[in-house]
Amino acid sequence: MPTTLVGATVEGKPNFITIAHVGIMDLGSVSLGMAKAHYTNAGIKENGTFSVNLPSADMVKETDYCGLASGKRVDKAQLFHIFYGNLKTAPMVAECPINMECKLIKVVDFPKHDVFIGEIVTTYAEDAVLTDGAVDYGKVRPLLFTMVDQSYWMLGKRFAKAWSIGKDLNGHKST
Amino acid sequence: MPTTLVGATVEGKPNFITIAHVGIMDLGSVSLGMAKAHYTNAGIKENGTFSVNLPSADMVKETDYCGLASGKRVDKAQLFHIFYGNLKTAPMVAECPINMECKLIKVVDFPKHDVFIGEIVTTYAEDAVLTDGAVDYGKVRPLLFTMVDQSYWMLGKRFAKAWSIGKDLNGHKST
């Protein structure tokens, strides 16, 4: 899964937490699976806003740190340059090449997790990660995560076109 | 996002559809964001079960084909060897190194999408993708997807440990 830095205002201050258990809902909304013990959850519920920031692989130390240190004890916002968009309570990380500010539209309740579903209000992308005006994930260099071995991975190479390469199987026979 | 083949029984027959707009909810459940126009949605609702199969990058043609051809017209199950687990209506793809059979626990309704949330009942993994008894994504070689350029990507290299590499920033100062 892509690792993200989730921003929220908690107790009146910007805070960030590392979340890789994300999801895409429909084309304009995302989910975050966040253990209820986290400090950030109350801020998302209080303000009804959050941000999803995509760090590049170069930001692995800062990103991992935001999953280690709790905002209860540490001011993680000091690690980054922060900006705000249309929603005034969704702090975003300027160092991340992609930022999405989101309005909370639903909380799905699990025994130990809140799943926050947010509508993306605005997406910001650095010019440096665009190719012909569109986001190029080869330039974003997202930080991928696997839980089983608690590891971070690079994105590899782009090698095929979707809704295209499978056309070779039109009129397929049983294998 | 990781590309998956979602299996369901539709009109009494096994069917598969390509879905990359997935999510992780809590540690034992996943989500699928599926446009309402898809043939498969009715089968998931009827039976309350589905499977999530992770194809390796080698299966890119078969995987892409399952996103191109509708089960209304084509018997996609013929492409694969199929097996069933504890849930009798969640067909799984033997060629995929990882399979999860899921019980539907919630449908989140969006204007044009059903988001199906399923509890993972059983996970199956091929011996060939294990290292010391645990799934090794370097061996799974998942098929990653980006919507913006409708492309498939390889997973790159594992390069850092989570909940670890960020410890270097303990006692960080403002940047």
Side-chain angles (χ1 to χ4, degrees):
Chain A
M1 302 299 282
T3 311
T4 73
L5 284 168
V6 169
T9 297
V10 191
E11 297 185 340
K13 290 188 301 187
N15 187 53
F16 297 94
I17 182 172
T18 315
I19 298 292
H21 284 175
V22 295
I24 297 180
M25 305 275 99
D26 68 353
L27 297 175
S29 56
V30 291
S31 67
L32 308 173
M34 292 179 47
K36 289 183 177 175
H38 287 310
Y39 176 69
T40 307
N41 295 34
I44 294 176
K45 289 176 184 171
E46 183 188 336
N47 298 296
T49 62
F50 59 85
S51 73
V52 178
N53 306 270
L54 280 186
S56 71
D58 302 328
M59 295 175 66
V60 64
K61 284 189 183 179
E62 290 80 359
T63 303
D64 193 53
Y65 180 78
C66 288
L68 281 165
S70 172
K72 275 182 208 135
R73 287 180 298 276
V74 175
D75 181 5
K76 292 181 270 186
Q78 288 189 24
L79 283 169
F80 308 113
H81 293 93
I82 291 170
F83 71 102
Y84 290 86
N86 299 308
L87 305 174
K88 302 301 179 192
T89 50
M92 289 177 276
V93 175
E95 285 82 355
C96 288
I98 307 282
N99 320 93
M100 291 166 269
E101 49 176 340
C102 300
K103 193 162 63 181
L104 181 67
I105 56 174
K106 197 177 186 73
V107 185
V108 185
D109 189 52
F110 285 85
K112 293 183 178 172
H113 290 73
D114 293 315
V115 174
F116 296 111
I117 298 178
E119 181 190 330
I120 302 167
V121 173
T122 316
T123 299
Y124 302 83
E126 264 179 21
D127 286 342
V129 299
L130 303 181
T131 295
D132 298 333
V135 172
D136 180 340
Y137 281 92
K139 295 179 179 174
V140 172
R141 305 175 68 244
L143 188 52
L144 305 177
F145 172 79
T146 49
M147 180 60 109
V148 64
D149 52 0
Q150 304 188 347
S151 293
Y152 295 115
W153 304 70
M154 307 290 290
L155 180 65
K157 67 174 181 188
R158 178 169 21 203
F159 74 103
K161 278 299 266 184
W163 291 290
S164 174
I165 193 170
K167 287 179 185 166
D168 291 359
L169 296 183
N170 276 335
H172 71 85
K173 301 284 179 221
S174 168
T175 51
Chain B
M1 301 300 283
T3 311
T4 73
L5 285 168
V6 169
T9 297
V10 190
E11 297 184 342
K13 290 187 301 188
N15 188 52
F16 297 94
I17 182 172
T18 314
I19 298 293
H21 284 174
V22 295
I24 298 180
M25 303 276 101
D26 68 352
L27 297 176
S29 57
V30 291
S31 68
L32 308 172
M34 292 178 49
K36 288 183 178 177
H38 288 311
Y39 176 69
T40 306
N41 295 33
I44 293 176
K45 289 175 183 171
E46 183 188 336
N47 298 295
T49 61
F50 60 84
S51 73
V52 178
N53 306 270
L54 280 187
S56 71
D58 302 330
M59 295 174 67
V60 64
K61 284 189 184 181
E62 290 82 356
T63 303
D64 194 52
Y65 180 79
C66 288
L68 281 165
S70 171
K72 274 181 208 139
R73 287 180 298 276
V74 174
D75 181 5
K76 292 181 269 186
Q78 286 188 27
L79 283 170
F80 308 113
H81 293 94
I82 290 170
F83 71 102
Y84 290 86
N86 298 309
L87 305 174
K88 302 300 179 194
T89 49
M92 288 177 277
V93 176
E95 285 81 357
C96 287
I98 307 281
N99 319 94
M100 290 166 272
E101 48 176 341
C102 300
K103 194 161 64 181
L104 181 67
I105 56 174
K106 195 175 188 74
V107 184
V108 184
D109 189 51
F110 285 84
K112 292 182 177 172
H113 290 74
D114 293 314
V115 174
F116 295 112
I117 298 178
E119 181 190 330
I120 302 168
V121 173
T122 316
T123 299
Y124 303 82
E126 263 180 21
D127 285 341
V129 299
L130 303 182
T131 295
D132 298 333
V135 170
D136 180 341
Y137 281 92
K139 295 179 178 174
V140 172
R141 303 176 70 242
L143 188 52
L144 305 178
F145 172 78
T146 49
M147 180 61 107
V148 64
D149 51 0
Q150 304 189 349
S151 293
Y152 296 115
W153 303 70
M154 308 289 290
L155 180 63
K157 65 174 183 187
R158 177 170 22 202
F159 75 102
K161 278 298 265 186
W163 290 290
S164 174
I165 193 169
K167 287 180 186 165
D168 291 359
L169 295 184
N170 276 335
H172 71 85
K173 300 284 178 224
S174 168
T175 51

